Amino acid sequence: MTDRIEVAATELRPLLEEFIMWARANAPDSDPELVGPAALWHRLAFSQDLGTWKRADLRNLLLDRMPKVVEDPDSAADGMLPAVDAYLTFLSQTGRLATGSDSLAELQAELDDVEDEFVELMEDLLDDTEGDDEDETGDLGDFEPFADELADLPTIRLRPDTELAAAAREVPLIAKARDLALWVGSGRRVGEDTLLSDAEVEEALTAIGLPRPQTDGPLAEAVPMLWNIWNLAVDLEFLEPGDGDTVAVQDDTSEWPFDDDEDVLEAWMLGLHSVDYGDPELADDDLAMALAGLTRGLLVRLLLAGGTRDLDGLRQELAEAAADLDELGADAWEAAGDPLTPVIDWLVGYGMITVEGAAIVDGVATGGTLALTPLGTEGVVHLVDDADIEVDARPAIESMSAHELLALSAELPEEEADAEFAAWMRLREPGRAAEELLEAAAEDESDALIRVQAASVVGTLGEAAVPAWQEALKQASLRPYAATHLSQLGVEGAPEPTQDDTHWLILDMWTISAGLGRAEFVGSLRDIGPELLNNLLEVIWKIPHAHVEELLDLISQVHPDKQVAKAARRALFKARSQT
């Protein structure tokens, strides 16, 4: 899943960078930074096409998805809707609002319709956050005390989505949540005090394969596992509220496990926060709170240990942590019997850990080891990321695509990036590596950074890269690089680089420089000198580069030489006139 988020973010980056430059002139009162999360989750949850926007998707994004992921509800309440309005206007004005989208006017009308409800949701989140701050003492699942240790971990290699999806399809708890939702059916009425009557509870237990407990009281009060699975079904969006006091199964629930890997991982990630359901449930609320976060506490300790811990040592460490954190911690631990039993059961059931070599003595697992599964490692890394704590997690080298490699390396220091490239290319013949890298660079004509990186690496492969360079001549965005390198290699019949090729390379470098910030961009322009820059501006506007208009606009705004700024405005007018 983390792979998918990184890929989607990489796809979005050039478009968002272009929007930021556009917004400076066209929507100066908006905060472009607030668009990033909305655009990312629109891509992940609603549309494979960055330019396809529908009213219904926009409403669901703002009222359902964003309250779950927004980091600063105060800023979102004030500025997210104006920022999204500006972004949609940008897409429309630049021809990025794809055919099949609702019109800009319809989308703006939807923003008006949801404004009051969105702001109310953000204010509710803000109230919750302020209340949490007042009572904040931390619990066993707080990752912050481990932030330094997590940052110092060696690189964690995440398995490919195909492997993770295969594991997620086998998760027992999701199958139980599906079966429970299917048993609920369409329009089942639920009660006010207990969701289900005791007779319905018995039916539900049978439907998902749980035993009926022996109890003298109401059956509904003796089946916490059933209610945890019910809540998981809601998290997974298998169940949803219906009209009145009813609940209903979602239409596609019966199709689990889904065929598409992306759909499978999205569902599994929706249920990831169910790890909290593994925490022990005690009759005394104060004792229960003393053990809150126990499941996350176990997970982070497994991650810090490289994925494996002996069960007895981990139990002792967690018991001591509970006692140190809360004066009731020791009493709570004793009252729970073995607090790790429900923790381990839930995590095994959600496919996140395995238990090897443990013996059951008086109902308590002793000895043996716990280990994170690849799916568990993916999940813990995601939870750590949710807590805004940095951890170095990357796709496994052997499963990393060329595009993933290029996107990752753009964020790394030079030495680390070189090491990633070297390890990746050791698994391929040089010619094949060149072909994959240049194909990745051609995926998005607007992504200059990926293109420059790919050309730089392929340029080190010498003669082995000639066939890939010759194929790249067919791509307008890669032709300047291909012509340059083929000429340098002395390949017979290769075209000589043209002046237009040189101008394309300059525009690519300007695009990268602009992405680094205003100071870096202005510095790169000063390196050229005003006279040469003026000469460039006379002709560079003709190049059909994805960012030429934005770059000319930016030069006109930031260059300190008024004559250069004026020349940039003239060039921008010419560029816009020819489109």
Side-chain angles (χ1 to χ4, degrees), residues 140-210:
L140 290 167
D142 187 1
F143 292 166
E144 189 61 37
F146 303 101
D148 290 342
E149 293 176 74
L150 289 165
D152 291 340
L153 282 175
T155 299
I156 299 167
R157 292 293 179 179
L158 303 174
R159 302 307 306 162
D161 282 359
T162 52
E163 182 178 324
L164 296 175
R169 289 186 176 96
E170 302 300 320
V171 168
L173 283 173
I174 298 184
K176 289 183 182 298
R178 173 204 59 200
D179 293 344
L180 179 61
L182 292 175
W183 171 82
V184 166
S186 177
R188 181 178 292 271
R189 186 168 298 280
V190 294
E192 294 183 5
D193 297 327
T194 60
L195 292 175
L196 303 175
S197 67
D198 278 3
E200 288 177 312
V201 168
E202 288 203 49
E203 290 181 26
L205 291 172
T206 300
I208 63 176
L210 291 181

Side-chain angles (χ1 to χ4, degrees), residues 6-15 43 48 50 403 444 447:
E6 290 177 352
V7 169
T10 300
E11 291 177 8
L12 270 168
R13 186 179 296 114
L15 186 61
R43 162 65 180 82
Q48 294 289 321
L50 301 181
H403 197 281
D444 183 357
D447 198 330

Side-chain angles (χ1 to χ4, degrees), residues 9 185 236 278 313 336 369:
L236 294 168
T369 58

Side-chain angles (χ1 to χ4, degrees), residues 10 39 159 205 231 266-267 324-325 357 366 372 509 522 541 562:
T10 300
R159 302 307 306 162
L205 291 172
N231 289 332
E266 182 177 346
D324 290 341
L325 188 64
T366 61
L372 286 173
M509 297 311 297
V522 172
W541 61 268
K562 293 182 179 180

Side-chain angles (χ1 to χ4, degrees), residues 486-507:
L486 289 171
S487 178
Q488 291 173 351
L489 291 168
V491 176
E492 185 177 350
E496 289 294 324
T498 65
Q499 189 177 54
D500 283 355
D501 290 334
T502 301
H503 292 159
W504 183 284
L505 298 179
I506 291 171
L507 287 168

